[in-house]
Amino acid sequence: MLDIKQLKASLKLYKDSLGSDRLKVKESARVPVQVGQIRVLFWMPEEYVLIFHIEDEGLVHAVPLTEWVSLTTCSIRIHIRHYTFAPLPFIVYLRKELLEQESYPIAIVRQETIEKVLKDVDMSPTWSAIKPIRDFLKLVWKRYEDITLSSLFYTHIQREKQEETTKGLVIQLLPYVIQKYTSQLQAYQRAAQTKALKGKNWFGVVEEGKVVIYLPAEYEGKKVRIKFFEDVIYEGPANTKVVLENLPDLPSHEYLEEDLHVEVLGD
């Protein structure tokens, strides 16, 4: 049984410790990023990440870990010496060079542990009816949000500069599908265009007339179903890069964050 008073007290302690300081590791002491590392980020307060994939362009996929184990929806616990961690129910993306500047490895775990953590993250809700937990998840995500989006932008630009960049999976939105959801789409008309999008299990970069979507690396080769609102627009082998073309002519495409769904069907 959860103790709401204790959860509120833990949340207050976390909030009270929040600061803007981000310390850097001196260059001579920096350690390269490797899959399986648990790294401590020297922020205020410290945060922890488990590295599970590193792309060739230096984009690191990681699961945030927390010592505030009662304030997450994930159930698995990781015991490292005098630490006990629990995952948070989302994935973050960070540049390798940033991690080497602002963090240090404190442990390395086996592939078996990584797989268990990823399964737990995938099965755990990102929202909670319990307010202290819900507020904690929002607070921690906010700490990673700007870094995650800027890391994706930088990597996206690097990829587009390379001649050998693959086109990825291209999906054309058909006019009748857009017309079908006109009333819902009109609700998203805003003055400013948001360039970065975050879905449940994808991140996107808005370009002129299209969105480039990046799926988790572990989706590669698996069968997926992609839905636009209630319409299936693709079903077949996954590609980590998906280009969605023929978007409706709107100033904002934030509707995709809630209404573009990617579901893994199997290998």
Side-chain angles (χ1 to χ4, degrees):
M1 185 90 179
L2 290 171
D3 185 333
I4 300 299
K5 277 190 175 180
Q6 184 59 50
L7 291 177
K8 287 180 178 178
S10 296
L11 177 63
K12 185 179 185 305
L13 284 171
Y14 181 77
K15 282 182 174 179
D16 289 346
S17 65
L18 286 172
S20 58
D21 290 349
R22 286 169 50 179
L23 304 180
K24 292 193 184 304
V25 179
K26 63 180 182 179
E27 199 163 345
S28 61
R30 291 174 187 170
V31 177
V33 179
Q34 294 180 23
V35 170
Q37 287 176 340
I38 293 176
R39 297 182 73 104
V40 54
L41 285 153
F42 298 116
W43 298 353
M44 181 72 72
E46 293 175 342
E47 302 286 358
Y48 302 85
V49 290
L50 169 60
I51 312 303
F52 69 89
H53 181 70
I54 305 169
E55 297 187 17
D56 292 341
E57 300 89 350
L59 186 67
V60 178
H61 302 213
V63 174
L65 304 177
T66 182
E67 292 184 279
W68 304 86
V69 297
S70 62
L71 289 172
T72 179
T73 55
C74 292
S75 58
I76 197 170
R77 300 291 180 261
I78 304 170
H79 303 284
I80 305 289
R81 296 189 293 275
H82 58 283
Y83 296 96
T84 297
F85 297 113
L88 295 172
F90 51 84
I91 288 168
V92 295
Y93 299 86
L94 307 104
R95 292 294 309 169
K96 184 170 69 171
E97 52 268 30
L98 180 142
L99 274 172
E100 290 172 358
Q101 288 173 7
E102 298 188 8
S103 74
Y104 197 83
I106 59 169
I108 191 159
V109 300
R110 295 176 297 179
Q111 183 62 30
E112 178 186 351
T113 301
I114 294 174
E115 290 169 5
K116 287 178 180 178
V117 168
L118 290 174
K119 184 178 179 181
D120 190 35
V121 169
D122 190 51
M123 294 174 62
S124 300
T126 56
W127 186 90
S128 174
I130 301 167
K131 191 174 185 301
I133 296 177
R134 183 168 72 246
D135 289 351
F136 177 74
L137 294 177
K138 286 180 181 178
L139 274 174
V140 181
W141 165 248
K142 205 69 186 167
R143 303 196 81 191
Y144 286 103
E145 184 176 27
D146 287 345
I147 291 173
T148 283
L149 294 177
S150 62
S151 295
L152 283 165
F153 271 129
Y154 180 86
T155 305
H156 173 71
I157 291 166
Q158 294 299 107
R159 284 173 174 156
E160 294 304 310
K161 284 180 178 177
Q162 297 174 9
E163 290 183 0
E164 66 271 20
T165 300
T166 58
K167 192 175 182 182
L169 171 64
V170 179
I171 301 173
Q172 302 273 339
L173 272 180
L174 299 176
Y176 84 89
V177 174
I178 296 171
Q179 192 172 21
K180 185 175 177 181
Y181 299 103
T182 299
S183 59
Q184 291 100 312
L185 291 169
Q186 285 174 343
Y188 287 90
Q189 300 225 23
R190 301 179 186 179
Q193 171 81 19
T194 300
K195 294 292 185 185
L197 301 173
K198 174 184 175 291
K200 181 182 176 183
N201 48 9
W202 56 266
F203 283 90
V205 180
V206 177
E207 296 183 347
E208 189 174 347
K210 66 182 179 181
V211 173
V212 180
I213 292 165
Y214 296 102
L215 303 181
E218 60 269 23
Y219 284 21
E220 183 76 48
K222 293 184 177 180
K223 188 176 181 182
V224 296
R225 178 184 294 133
I226 302 177
K227 294 173 71 176
F228 179 78
F229 289 85
E230 296 303 319
D231 281 58
V232 176
I233 58 173
Y234 176 78
E235 189 170 306
N239 191 306
T240 52
K241 178 181 176 182
V242 178
V243 182
L244 191 60
E245 296 185 339
N246 292 347
L247 294 174
D249 186 17
L250 295 172
S252 173
H253 296 293
E254 291 183 52
Y255 56 87
L256 292 171
E257 293 185 328
E258 295 181 9
D259 296 306
L260 186 75
H261 310 286
V262 181
E263 177 188 356
V264 177
L265 303 178
D267 296 328

